[in-house]
Amino acid sequence: MRIDVITIFPEFFDVLEVSLLGKARGNGLLDVRVHNLRDFTTDRHRTVDDTPYGGGAGMVMKPEPWGLALDAIAQEATSEPTFVFPSPAGERFVQATAREWSGLDHLVFGCGRYEGIDERVFTYAASLGQVRLASLGDYVLNGGEVAAMAMIEAVGRLVPGVVGNPESLVEESHEDGLLEYPSYTKPSEWRGLAVPDVLLSGHHGRVAEWRRDQQVERTRERRPDLLVD
Ligand SMILES: O=C(OCc1ccccc1)c1cn[nH]c1
């Protein structure tokens, strides 16, 4: 999978070199390229924002630099990209979204700042590929970089070969619509706290039943919204 990121803070994504995704980049599973939006400006001050038409506080990201950046990426794309713009006004990004996107050939993350990006950029991007405005949750960040990083990790780890043991991707929170069961490891007694006996019983059937019960109980307790059909 190829992933492009357009941002005014390219150094923010240096961390992708060291994380799990760094190895995937090394062995060619993920091809991540970060672009500085300011490299696509034409003025001396490398301006990326301006005042909003219609008035109001804050600044809006100018369309021109975005158009040049999207064109540069689309030109060297070998398959139709999916353009993802993290936004508080986007559709909810959930595990199913990550799974869907992990099968794509080319993702382009456009990181907005300020009050957002000129709306015409999304319209123009739709002439180059699929466009998704995606929200991590109902809160506002200063820019799309943190959200893009989270989405890149959630998607990248599902790309076949990126995570060593694919088994570990199956029993995860939200994969089966329920929260994950509690986990324990040695020692069996720690600071007066014991591991549930069933997990020490070696009785796999009972362990599976206990884990499922824990998933349902925790989901009902913490995320009843996940239980409605
Ligand atoms: O704040 C977010 O995106 C950054 C952003 C993008 C455009 C303008 C302002 C801020 C966000 C919140 N949930 N998911 C994403």
Side-chain angles (χ1 to χ4, degrees):
M1 173 188 285
R2 173 164 162 183
I3 298 176
D4 289 276
V5 183
I6 305 168
T7 171
I8 59 171
F9 296 121
E11 68 281 1
F12 182 89
F13 293 90
D14 289 353
V15 73
L16 285 176
E17 293 298 330
V18 297
S19 69
L20 166 93
L21 298 186
K23 194 156 66 71
R25 294 178 77 170
N27 56 36
L29 281 168
L30 293 176
D31 171 11
V32 180
R33 307 181 197 190
V34 183
H35 310 267
N36 186 340
L37 182 66
R38 292 194 193 279
D39 292 345
F40 299 93
T41 58
T42 52
D43 66 307
R44 198 156 58 87
H45 297 289
R46 293 161 63 86
T47 312
V48 293
D49 64 320
D50 203 337
T51 54
Y53 277 121
M59 303 287 271
V60 174
M61 298 192 99
K62 296 164 58 67
E64 297 100 324
W66 279 101
L68 293 172
L70 294 175
D71 285 344
I73 291 168
Q75 259 154 22
E76 56 177 48
T78 53
S79 61
E80 183 187 77
T82 294
F83 298 96
V84 178
F85 295 93
S87 165
E91 32 182 301
R92 197 91 168 72
F93 177 85
V94 292
Q95 188 64 15
T97 322
R99 192 156 287 289
E100 177 198 337
W101 292 358
S102 68
L104 297 175
D105 291 329
H106 190 178
L107 281 176
V108 181
F109 287 88
C111 299
R113 286 253 139 193
Y114 310 103
E115 298 316 302
I117 303 171
D118 185 297
E119 191 69 14
R120 291 167 292 181
V121 171
F122 307 134
T123 306
Y124 179 68
S127 73
L128 301 174
Q130 298 296 311
V131 176
R132 296 278 184 282
L133 268 66
S135 166
L136 280 191
D138 297 333
Y139 42 81
V140 181
L141 303 167
N142 284 332
E145 286 78 8
V146 167
M149 184 71 83
M151 292 178 195
I152 290 169
E153 178 153 323
V155 172
R157 64 192 293 277
L158 295 179
V159 171
V162 170
V163 169
N165 170 16
E167 278 294 301
S168 62
L169 293 177
V170 177
E171 294 192 359
E172 288 194 317
S173 279
H174 301 290
E175 275 305 330
D176 55 7
L178 295 172
L179 300 186
E180 204 166 62
Y181 50 76
S183 296
Y184 301 84
T185 185
K186 293 188 276 302
S188 63
E189 172 105 11
W190 174 69
R191 297 192 178 189
L193 301 169
V195 170
D197 288 336
V198 65
L199 298 180
L200 307 176
S201 71
H203 200 297
H204 301 295
R206 281 203 216 123
V207 169
E209 187 186 358
W210 180 85
R211 284 175 166 174
R212 183 72 183 183
D213 291 349
Q214 288 292 312
Q215 282 188 275
V216 172
E217 186 183 319
R218 292 176 130 202
T219 306
R220 185 180 293 129
E221 185 62 36
R222 301 176 190 167
R223 291 293 308 277
D225 60 295
L226 293 178
L227 288 177
V228 296
D229 295 328

